[in-house]
Amino acid sequence: MVHMAEDLAQRNKEIEQSRAESDFQAKHDELTGLPNRRFFIDYLQQVIGIAGSAGAHKALLFVDLDNFKPVNDILGHDEGDRLLRKVALRLTSSVRDSDFVARLGGDEFAVIATMKPENGLNGVRIVAERILAALNLTVEQADPPIDVAASIGIALYPSDADNREALLRAADKAMYEAKHQGRNRVLFACELVDS
C-alpha cells in the first residue's frame, strides 16, 4: 500500500513537471529561451490593460538585426543560430530587470520597457542606446568579417498609441524607418514625419 502511494506521488510529480515543461515550451522560443511572439502579444495586452488603469507609461521597442542575412547565407544556419543566442544574451543583459524581452521570430526581438513620464524620452533612449552598443557585433568567421548591428523602432504608450495593435504598428513603422535611414540607429514613432 505504501509502495503504491509512493508510486502515485512520483507519477503525479512527473505529470506536473511535464505540464510545466509543456507550458514553458509553448510560451518560449526554442533557440534562445526568450518568450516567443505569442507570449509577447499576450503579455503586451496585459501590460497595456494594467498601465491604462494605473495611468502608467510604457515603451515598446522593436529590435531588428542589420546585416543578419549574410551570416546565414555565407556561414550557414548553425552560425546564424549561434549569433541569435548571443544576441538574446546581450539584449537581456542590456535592459533593466523590470523590462520584458521577447524573440518575435527570425532576427526580430521586442522589449517592453517601463517609462517614467518625468524623464521624457531620455530614459528609454538610454536603454535603446545600450541595446545598440551591445548588439554592435562583428562575425569574424566570415572573410571579410560581417558587421552586425540593430535598428530599433520605439512607440510609447499611451502617447503614440492607446491600444495593442496601434502600438505594434507604430513601433514597426519606426523600426523600418530606422532601417531606411541607414540602419544601426534608434527612431521614435513620434519623430516620424507623415508622408
Side-chain angles (χ1 to χ4, degrees):
M1 196 69 146
V2 172
H3 184 65
M4 280 178 44
E6 288 174 351
D7 247 9
L8 188 57
Q10 180 61 32
R11 284 187 189 160
N12 284 339
K13 185 178 178 182
E14 289 169 3
I15 289 169
E16 280 304 311
Q17 187 176 355
S18 178
R19 280 186 189 149
E21 288 171 8
S22 292
D23 188 46
F24 183 86
Q25 290 172 352
K27 293 180 179 180
H28 291 80
D29 174 57
E30 187 178 334
L31 180 66
T32 63
L34 291 175
N36 62 20
R37 177 182 288 277
R38 189 171 88 192
F39 187 8
F40 163 75
I41 294 294
D42 291 345
Y43 186 78
L44 180 61
Q45 186 65 46
Q46 289 174 10
V47 164
I48 288 174
I50 293 167
S53 60
H57 296 254
K58 297 290 179 180
L60 174 59
L61 293 75
F62 269 9
V63 180
D64 190 78
L65 295 182
D66 299 329
N67 221 16
F68 176 73
K69 189 177 181 321
V71 175
N72 268 343
D73 291 349
I74 295 168
L75 299 174
H77 291 282
D78 287 345
E79 192 59 40
D81 288 352
R82 272 192 283 283
L83 178 61
L84 290 172
R85 284 190 291 272
K86 186 175 192 176
V87 165
L89 285 171
R90 285 179 170 232
L91 188 53
T92 54
S93 298
S94 303
V95 298
R96 303 161 297 190
D97 289 341
S98 59
D99 298 334
F100 180 87
V101 179
R103 179 176 178 221
L104 302 182
D107 61 346
E108 294 180 347
F109 297 82
V111 177
I112 301 170
T114 303
M115 187 181 153
K116 295 181 179 174
E118 63 270 16
N119 292 344
L121 302 180
N122 290 334
V124 176
R125 188 177 301 279
I126 288 168
V127 170
E129 294 291 342
R130 259 197 328 254
I131 292 170
L132 270 189
L135 299 186
N136 201 332
L137 303 160
T138 300
V139 179
E140 300 285 350
Q141 297 89 322
D143 186 19
I146 301 169
D147 291 323
V148 177
S151 295
I152 303 175
I154 304 172
L156 308 176
Y157 173 87
S159 57
D160 291 327
D162 63 358
N163 65 70
R164 182 183 72 191
E165 290 75 20
L167 193 65
L168 290 166
R169 278 193 306 275
D172 193 50
K173 186 175 179 182
M175 185 268 296
Y176 277 104
E177 185 58 29
K179 281 196 171 295
H180 180 72
Q181 289 184 14
R183 303 173 183 252
N184 193 22
R185 67 188 63 233
V186 174
L187 190 64
F188 284 82
C190 61
E191 297 170 333
L192 296 176
V193 179
D194 289 330
S195 29

